[in-house]
Amino acid sequence: MSNITVEDLNVWYGDDHALKNINMEIPEGEVTALIGASGCGKSTFLRCFNRMNDEIGVARVEGSIRWKGVDLNGEDVDPVALRRRVGMVFQKPNPFPKTVYDNIAYGVSLNGRGDDDMDQIVETSLEQANLWDEVEDRLDKNALTLSGGQQQRLCIARAVAVKPDVILMDEPASALDPVSTQKIENLIEELREEYTVVVVTHNMQQAARISDKTAHLHLGELVEFDNTDKIFENPEEELTEAYITGRFG
Amino acid sequence: MARDTFDKQLGDLKAQVMEMADLAKWMFETGVQSLIDLSDDTADEVLEKRHRLAELDEQIEEDALKLVARQQPMAKDMRAIGAALKLITYINRIGRYGKDIAQITTQWDSETHYSDLVNLPRMVELVHNGLNHVLRCYHEEEDIDLEQLVEWEDEIDALRWSVFRECLTYMAQDPEHIEEYAYYMMIARYLERCGDNVCKMAEKIHYMVEGEHLAIDT
Amino acid sequence: MVNEPLSDRLRAPLAIAVGLLMLGSLFAGCITSDSGGGQANLKQTGSSTVHPLAQAWAQEFTEAEIAVSGGGSSHGRNAILTGNAHLGDASSKMGPGDYDKVGCDVSQDEIDAAQSGPHPWKYPSCNGVTPTEWVVAWDVLVVVVNPNNDWADELSYEQLRQIFTTENTAEKWSEVEGLEDAPDEKIEIHAPDAASGTYEFFFEEVAGHTDKSLLAEGSDRYHGSANDNVILNKITENENAIGYFGLAYYVQNEDKIDTVAISEEGEDFVEPSFETASEYPVTRPLHIYTDGVPSGDDATSQAVKDYMCFAMSEEGQSIVPDVGYVKESDFDPESHSNQQSKVC
Amino acid sequence: MNAEDLGEELRKGSGELSRRRKTALIGRAVTGLCLAIAVVFLGLLIFDVLRRGLPQLDWQFLTTDVKGFNPETGGVRNAIVGSVYLILITMAVAVPLGVATAVYLEEFAKDNAITTGLQRLVENLAGVPSIVFGLLGLAFFARLMDFGTSLISGGLTLGLLVLPIVVVSTQEALSAVPDEFRNGARAMGATEWQVVKDHVLPAALPGIMTGSILSLSRAIGETAPILFVVSSFIRGVPTALTDGFLALPYQIFYWAQLPSQEVQQMAASAIIVLMALLLTMNGVAVAIRQWSLSRRQW
């Protein structure tokens, strides 16, 4: 098993204690949703898995995130190498202002797989992202000419192209229309088969639809972490109940 | 509380369920009463109410589905609406058994009852108590007294078989009134079904309140 | 289709940049041909007075490429002392202050002692440089007035001091001794500002070393300017104005302005002109400084030697009046031949 | 409120609102007038320059070298070339240095007191009078580095002059690049350097180029910083970095002081040439800007 084990994780932004003593285990090959009110630390938590907090000068991370016997938060872990194993998709679709093809090829060549049959990799990745049929004849067009939903799927294709083990998604559908959202959700459903997915979402129904496990964070603390069915049907914690029934506040 | 409108709508839904339950309870009790009194007028009153019962059933189902669509309920809210949808089915049945009993009243040819209605009054009392308990729990969102309920249910079941055997005996002794004894057996069967529906309601209310599924095995 | 680290959007800007560079080199290419290779490049800098003459010689002297720049007399002398130029132009002489700036302690007495012989004068060495002063031409300062001024055709040093200095100052024209019939109007002075070598020279000459209490910028009737055009315009606009500048400048504007004949104490009045330069009192030598007498040992030294020889030659000197100065060969033939024989 | 009252309130020219409207009108008039004054003076200035400078501005003027003696018989060719060379050197010095500095400050430097100090220093340098740079250039490049009155001294001095401007404008261009690009690339496993090289710089390039060209076009018109290292006469054009050079703005400055009317008119002609050069550079900057805006999709 290569679950990801989070132990006593604490994050500070300057004096702000953003995450407090988080302990949980992200199961391999499943979709884990992180829910919670704005500012509860979900995104911060997500960014711990690929060390994106390193880019924020004032952020300080303590505790450990163990994966395959390595502490991802350890001094000896190279964040750049880590990010090649742990892909990330952001809230706002952010394809590079390059062609569709180059968007995917970029990450692949960064990872030193430039010698492989790039055309094949691009095709496979786009197919995995359910985008191939739509962009097959537009590979040399600027990615920014795609629709928002297509851009986001391109970002997912870009992430899977480098064959990561884990894919982090930070509110991947929150900027999209319902149809695009549906496509993204379907896609996550399919990704589950090959990847460990951790997804932050504001949309409870979405979390309920797509995830196997759900963690509820509140003010930097892990309130409840359980099977998604359990969380949305009958949460243990009143705080979670209040949050998911919309009676938070 | 951040969802005032939703909370009010949930309250309204529950009130409707309670209204329907009260109606069904009245139909059941009044149906039985009409039989006891052999009063066709009372029976007609009950028969008349079945339209209202069906109306409420439809109304509540529609409102509950609207709430699901518009509010995407989660957790307790979701369970409450799910429970309401199931409860109305059981309530409907109970009401309709009341109606069925009233119908028997209208078809009763003799002027009198036989054998003091065997054990039927005792069964009515048990169903009545169970139903009241379950409805109070629903209203108060409290958990059911399961032990008590199972006791009732067991007794109802036992009584039903006792009515069955008794009536068989009477039928042999008094073949002239075989039809009336058959009616008694049917009514006993109805009452037993009512008790069973009360148990089903109890299961749903327990799920609504506690969030866990439960099967009352009898 | 390959992955490019620099995206498409880079191409057009790059093309523009390359285009600019090519345009630049095109200019360079079509021009390098006419500046012959192998020639020494000389730098000449300093006095703005000597500047036009230096430019003219640089243009006519073809043995070397000479870049001429301005900056003032002290800049020219400094450039020689620091070795930043091969030729330093100056309208005033090197002094202890110039040495002080580059960290050499040389007194005026030491300088005077070094200047006993004929031109060129060698100065005390400093940091391995031996400043050597050549007099290449003479500048004539003319006192100018408005053409409508008919009362001041001639002025003595005495009168100039009344007008330009605080000694027995005349506020109005009629207050000037000997000009009692002149208008009872305020005298407006438009002349080079106190920062210029011309100002310094004029007052030193007219007022003498002893009296330094001069009218200067700040006085309400002394209007200093760094631009001779401004001075010229002001005086042509104002009947009561008076000023001074180089003869060269006057020659180019003869029709707009009148000169004044000057007499040094007890001497005759002399009208300024190229011909009368040696009698006219307000004249100053124009210097070029070099590091020692150029030996001609290397290409650069040879170029300096050639240049100085050219400046002293008949051809070089013949340009001097065209620029507006007086030939050294006319003004002081003996010094001229001394210098010529030294450098050629 | 009844209908009449509302009608009254909505009607023009009544009550408090009309007073405010008058104030607004006055404000508009005053600012408009200021604009008009500025335009009129600028127009007069340009008209005067054109009137004096155009008549003798011909091909001959552009293709003949500056004459030291009898300047009116010469032209401005080597002054134009000098200015172009100067700007090329300035570009070669200021753009790579400035862009690199900006990239460091904006993308790599930790947000600490030293960085903030450097930032303030750069911003303040941009406001230092250009003559100060001239003196610095003279003291440092001409004297200390022994480059003398040469092209390299002038180019380096101008390079220093525009360096802070290039830094600041590049920083602005860099900060205009959305963080999404950076995060996207980081999440793909790009190193910080790859993030900058592959994404931030290409995206910011039009902005950087626009800023750089604008600052260079400022440099090409500057006289003060090169005052001490420019020549007023050379034959031909500089062939080496250590050669003396001519520059258009100084040539204008110098000619304007000469007595001859003809030469002063030539100064006006040279001003037109310089303005044309400036307008061309600014035009290129605007074109790049427009072109990149039309292509930018984020």
Side-chain angles (χ1 to χ4, degrees):
Chain A
M1 278 298 278
S2 46
N3 294 347
I4 307 171
T5 311
V6 180
E7 278 172 14
D8 297 327
L9 188 72
N10 282 279
V11 178
W12 286 265
Y13 291 127
D15 293 333
D16 180 22
H17 199 168
L19 282 181
K20 299 167 190 164
N21 292 313
I22 307 288
N23 283 285
M24 65 187 278
E25 187 160 328
I26 309 268
E28 184 191 21
E30 291 189 10
V31 179
T32 301
L34 304 179
I35 61 169
S38 294
C40 69
K42 328 180 271 296
S43 291
T44 301
F45 187 33
L46 191 72
R47 295 159 72 97
C48 288
F49 293 104
N50 66 347
R51 292 277 288 266
M52 286 291 267
N53 288 320
D54 287 18
E55 309 309 331
I56 302 165
V58 292
R60 185 159 55 86
V61 183
E62 281 177 14
S64 70
I65 300 178
R66 300 203 166 276
W67 182 44
K68 299 185 178 184
V70 180
D71 179 7
L72 302 187
N73 192 35
E75 288 286 326
D76 54 338
V77 168
D78 179 358
V80 171
L82 173 62
R83 289 172 200 152
R84 295 179 182 189
R85 310 288 297 163
V86 180
M88 189 165 195
V89 176
F90 297 85
Q91 176 175 9
K92 200 176 148 202
N94 59 347
F96 304 127
K98 306 163 172 276
T99 64
V100 171
Y101 186 98
D102 288 344
N103 257 280
I104 293 180
Y106 178 71
V108 178
S109 60
L110 275 185
N111 285 274
R113 284 173 54 217
D115 298 338
D116 297 8
D117 186 353
M118 190 64 87
D119 291 351
Q120 189 54 50
I121 293 175
V122 169
E123 182 173 344
T124 314
S125 310
L126 286 170
E127 269 167 359
Q128 265 191 288
N130 296 334
L131 190 61
W132 175 252
D133 296 340
E134 291 164 61
V135 299
E136 191 179 358
D137 51 355
R138 295 161 67 187
L139 293 178
D140 55 345
K141 292 274 185 304
N142 192 315
L144 295 167
T145 60
L146 301 181
S147 75
Q150 289 173 327
Q151 289 187 15
Q152 192 64 302
R153 275 179 286 150
L154 178 62
C155 289
I156 296 175
R158 183 174 79 178
V160 299
V162 302
K163 302 230 169 294
D165 298 296
V166 179
I167 297 177
L168 309 174
M169 298 189 176
D170 193 349
E171 301 182 35
S174 67
L176 304 179
D177 63 273
V179 175
S180 303
T181 301
Q182 192 53 52
K183 287 183 177 164
I184 298 287
E185 288 183 10
N186 292 346
L187 185 50
I188 293 172
E189 193 74 20
E190 291 167 29
L191 291 175
R192 177 205 315 264
E193 288 162 23
E194 276 183 71
Y195 306 94
T196 301
V197 178
V198 184
V199 55
V200 164
T201 178
H202 262 128
N203 182 331
M204 243 86 59
Q205 283 71 34
Q206 184 170 68
R209 283 191 294 270
I210 61 176
S211 68
D212 302 296
K213 297 254 186 191
T214 298
H216 174 223
L217 283 89
H218 179 69
L219 297 178
E221 285 180 271
L222 179 64
V223 178
E224 191 167 352
F225 176 52
D226 211 328
N227 289 329
T228 297
D229 292 345
K230 169 78 174 131
I231 292 277
F232 287 102
E233 199 177 317
N234 185 25
E236 293 293 328
E237 300 294 328
E238 271 185 41
L239 211 51
T240 306
E241 168 99 33
Y243 179 67
I244 63 175
T245 58
R247 289 180 178 77
F248 173 79
Chain B
M1 288 295 168
R3 299 188 74 177
D4 291 343
T5 315
F6 182 42
D7 282 337
K8 187 177 173 301
Q9 286 167 335
L10 275 180
D12 290 349
L13 186 74
K14 198 165 109 183
Q16 276 183 299
V17 172
M18 282 307 290
E19 184 192 340
M20 185 176 170
D22 284 343
L23 177 64
K25 201 173 95 182
W26 178 87
M27 284 173 74
F28 162 73
E29 284 168 3
T30 316
V32 169
Q33 196 57 50
S34 75
L35 183 73
I36 292 170
D37 300 344
L38 292 176
S39 156
D40 280 359
D41 292 346
T42 315
D44 286 344
E45 241 179 279
V46 174
L47 289 175
E48 190 51 43
K49 285 288 184 193
R50 72 174 193 272
H51 302 295
R52 175 65 186 148
L53 188 72
E55 214 175 271
L56 276 170
D57 183 60
E58 261 173 46
Q59 182 67 48
I60 292 169
E61 182 178 332
E62 197 183 314
D63 287 357
L65 291 178
K66 259 186 212 160
L67 278 182
V68 169
R70 291 183 184 167
Q71 302 284 0
Q72 284 116 34
M74 282 292 183
K76 201 171 179 180
D77 302 333
M78 180 178 73
R79 300 201 307 266
I81 293 173
L85 279 168
K86 289 294 264 185
L87 284 180
I88 56 173
T89 308
Y90 303 134
I91 291 170
N92 194 20
R93 294 249 173 83
I94 292 172
R96 290 182 66 82
Y97 285 128
K99 182 212 76 176
D100 289 344
I101 294 170
Q103 209 144 30
I104 290 173
T105 307
T106 59
Q107 287 166 14
W108 200 268
D109 288 337
S110 338
E111 299 295 315
T112 55
H113 284 292
Y114 305 89
S115 311
D116 295 336
L117 298 169
V118 284
N119 278 321
L120 290 178
R122 174 65 186 149
M123 284 180 80
V124 169
E125 190 192 332
L126 288 169
V127 171
H128 177 87
N129 288 346
L131 188 54
N132 275 348
H133 175 66
V134 161
L135 287 177
R136 205 195 74 243
C137 287
Y138 177 63
H139 186 257
E140 304 294 328
E141 293 179 20
E142 278 172 16
D143 203 7
I144 308 285
D145 185 348
L146 278 178
E147 258 177 61
Q148 174 96 60
L149 201 68
V150 171
E151 253 177 55
W152 284 330
E153 169 73 0
D154 285 349
E155 196 178 343
I156 288 171
D157 227 30
L159 283 171
R160 186 225 155 168
W161 289 113
S162 122
V163 169
F164 180 74
R165 280 189 305 271
E166 235 179 303
C167 284
L168 277 184
T169 316
Y170 291 139
M171 280 174 176
Q173 290 171 352
D174 185 9
E176 204 170 313
H177 293 104
I178 203 159
E179 191 182 339
E180 280 76 9
Y181 290 119
Y183 279 137
Y184 286 142
M185 285 163 76
M186 278 170 71
I187 290 166
R189 168 68 179 160
Y190 293 161
L191 293 176
E192 184 269 336
R193 287 328 304 158
C194 283
D196 192 56
N197 277 311
V198 168
C199 283
K200 292 284 176 210
M201 285 171 73
E203 284 170 12
K204 292 305 152 198
I205 292 165
H206 176 79
Y207 170 66
M208 178 183 98
V209 176
E210 296 295 321
E212 73 181 354
H213 292 281
L214 179 84
I216 300 173
D217 200 19
T218 51
Chain C
M1 212 189 275
V2 287
N3 179 43
E4 298 155 310
L6 290 179
S7 79
D8 292 356
R9 56 178 54 239
L10 249 165
R11 280 197 201 117
L14 270 180
I16 293 168
V18 169
L20 278 174
L21 277 165
M22 284 172 65
L23 194 80
S25 38
L26 203 83
F27 255 106
C30 70
I31 281 147
T32 35
S33 51
D34 62 359
S35 67
Q39 282 189 323
N41 283 302
L42 297 186
K43 300 263 169 73
Q44 182 167 14
T45 189
S47 165
S48 53
T49 311
V50 185
H51 201 176
L53 185 57
Q55 286 194 332
W57 278 336
Q59 188 172 321
E60 299 303 319
F61 176 70
T62 50
E63 312 291 313
E65 294 293 335
I66 301 172
V68 185
S69 58
S73 294
S74 67
H75 178 66
R77 295 191 296 262
N78 184 270
I80 285 298
L81 284 168
T82 55
N84 273 316
H86 306 99
L87 301 156
D89 304 336
S91 60
S92 47
K93 295 168 79 69
M94 195 170 279
D98 295 311
Y99 280 97
D100 193 43
K101 263 192 232 168
V102 293
C104 292
D105 187 16
V106 173
S107 68
Q108 185 64 44
D109 288 348
E110 287 174 87
I111 294 173
D112 290 345
Q115 298 187 351
S116 48
H119 280 120
W121 284 333
K122 285 200 179 177
Y123 279 69
S125 298
C126 159
N127 299 335
V129 177
T130 311
T132 305
E133 179 185 285
W134 309 81
V135 177
V136 292
W138 290 76
D139 183 23
V140 176
L141 277 192
V142 295
V143 175
V144 287
V145 291
N146 189 286
N148 295 335
N149 180 327
D150 52 6
W151 58 88
D153 293 342
E154 302 180 335
L155 290 170
S156 67
Y157 267 35
E158 187 72 33
Q159 288 169 317
L160 286 176
R161 276 196 291 270
Q162 278 193 291
I163 294 167
F164 286 103
T165 77
T166 51
E167 181 186 300
N168 193 17
T169 306
E171 295 265 343
K172 295 175 177 172
W173 279 109
S174 56
E175 292 170 10
V176 179
E177 273 174 43
L179 294 183
E180 286 76 10
D181 296 337
D184 198 19
E185 298 287 345
K186 201 176 161 196
I187 303 171
E188 294 288 343
I189 302 170
H190 292 280
D193 59 42
S196 70
T198 314
Y199 171 95
E200 201 178 326
F201 171 74
F202 182 81
F203 278 104
E204 225 165 81
E205 175 62 34
V206 172
H209 287 283
T210 49
D211 187 357
K212 290 286 188 182
S213 51
L214 309 168
L215 285 181
E217 284 181 312
S219 148
D220 63 345
R221 56 196 183 93
Y222 194 103
H223 309 284
S225 169
N227 189 333
D228 287 348
N229 275 329
V230 175
I231 298 170
L232 176 72
N233 289 335
K234 291 289 184 188
I235 297 177
T236 54
E237 283 163 13
N238 186 343
E239 284 193 12
N240 298 306
I242 186 169
Y244 56 89
F245 45 57
L247 179 62
Y249 204 77
Y250 165 71
V251 170
Q252 308 214 31
N253 298 284
E254 269 176 310
D255 48 338
K256 293 184 188 162
I257 205 157
D258 279 359
T259 56
V260 177
I262 305 288
S263 90
E264 205 172 348
E265 346 281 336
E267 307 270 339
D268 292 336
F269 286 100
V270 184
E271 196 70 47
S273 70
F274 290 113
E275 293 72 30
T276 58
S278 33
E279 287 94 50
Y280 185 77
V282 199
T283 49
R284 56 172 168 170
L286 300 182
H287 313 283
I288 291 178
Y289 286 86
T290 59
D291 177 11
V293 176
S295 59
D297 287 346
D298 55 63
T300 306
S301 173
Q302 184 63 48
V304 175
K305 186 176 163 75
D306 290 345
Y307 175 84
M308 287 313 302
C309 188
F310 169 79
M312 291 300 172
S313 70
E314 201 174 321
E315 189 194 350
Q317 288 287 305
S318 69
I319 296 169
V320 175
D322 293 340
V323 180
Y325 300 129
V326 179
K327 293 183 191 178
E328 165 75 346
S329 54
D330 286 353
F331 195 93
D332 189 347
E334 192 191 339
S335 159
H336 173 251
S337 64
N338 268 338
Q339 296 181 77
Q340 199 172 20
S341 65
K342 226 13 180 307
V343 78
C344 292
Chain D
M1 176 177 289
N2 61 39
E4 285 92 64
D5 287 350
L6 183 67
E8 182 56 31
E9 191 181 307
L10 292 182
R11 217 155 282 136
K12 277 184 182 173
S14 64
E16 162 70 11
L17 195 62
S18 88
R19 256 199 312 282
R20 294 212 311 255
R21 199 187 300 282
K22 272 175 202 144
T23 318
L25 212 63
I26 293 171
R28 237 173 97 165
V30 169
T31 50
L33 192 69
C34 291
L35 174 71
I37 290 172
V39 168
V40 164
F41 275 100
L42 191 67
L44 281 177
L45 199 70
I46 291 174
F47 173 76
D48 186 52
V49 166
L50 290 179
R51 184 178 58 81
R52 293 193 298 134
L54 269 186
Q56 64 281 344
L57 179 58
D58 52 16
W59 190 243
Q60 171 94 17
F61 180 75
L62 292 175
T63 54
T64 313
D65 281 350
V66 169
K67 290 276 186 287
F69 180 42
N70 295 335
E72 54 274 20
T73 61
V76 286
R77 182 181 69 151
N78 49 358
I80 296 175
V81 174
S83 275
V84 170
Y85 280 6
L86 203 56
I87 227 61
L88 288 177
I89 296 172
T90 306
M91 187 166 82
V93 172
V95 173
L97 257 181
V99 170
T101 307
V103 165
Y104 183 81
L105 281 176
E106 196 70 18
E107 304 290 328
F108 297 122
K110 290 241 170 359
D111 198 9
N112 56 26
I114 298 171
T115 313
T116 317
L118 277 174
Q119 184 72 48
R120 296 287 160 276
L121 185 73
V122 168
E123 281 161 13
N124 286 321
L125 269 181
V128 169
S130 56
I131 188 70
V132 175
F133 280 95
L135 289 166
L136 176 90
L138 175 71
F140 192 75
F141 299 122
R143 299 246 167 96
L144 198 65
M145 310 272 289
D146 215 12
F147 292 144
T149 52
S150 64
L151 202 51
I152 186 77
S153 294
L156 289 173
T157 306
L158 284 181
L160 279 191
L161 174 79
V162 297
L163 185 63
I165 309 173
V166 173
V167 171
V168 171
S169 67
T170 301
Q171 277 188 294
E172 263 162 37
L174 291 174
S175 63
V177 175
D179 265 344
E180 279 92 22
F181 288 174
R182 294 184 181 83
N183 284 337
R186 274 177 201 139
M188 298 301 299
T191 61
E192 282 306 292
W193 173 241
Q194 286 168 324
V195 170
V196 169
K197 172 178 67 95
D198 297 345
H199 302 283
V200 180
L201 274 184
L205 195 72
I208 295 173
M209 292 198 57
T210 308
S212 299
I213 294 175
L214 286 179
S215 55
L216 288 177
S217 77
R218 178 192 160 184
I220 203 174
E222 283 281 357
T223 311
I226 53 166
L227 197 56
F228 306 107
V229 293
V230 72
S231 297
S232 62
F233 175 80
I234 61 164
R235 246 182 305 119
V237 298
T239 51
L241 286 176
T242 49
D243 283 1
F245 67 101
L246 303 181
L248 269 180
Y250 178 77
Q251 209 58 44
I252 294 164
F253 171 72
Y254 180 68
W255 279 347
Q257 298 178 73
L258 294 185
S260 156
Q261 279 299 320
E262 271 179 78
V263 176
Q264 289 184 22
Q265 282 172 355
M266 285 172 71
S269 307
I271 289 173
I272 297 173
V273 174
L274 182 61
M275 285 202 304
L277 212 56
L278 274 170
L279 283 177
T280 309
M281 291 183 72
N282 288 0
V284 169
V286 170
I288 291 176
R289 202 179 136 71
Q290 290 302 326
W291 169 83
S292 72
L293 278 183
S294 71
R295 293 202 47 181
R296 181 150 86 180
Q297 278 144 327
W298 73 77

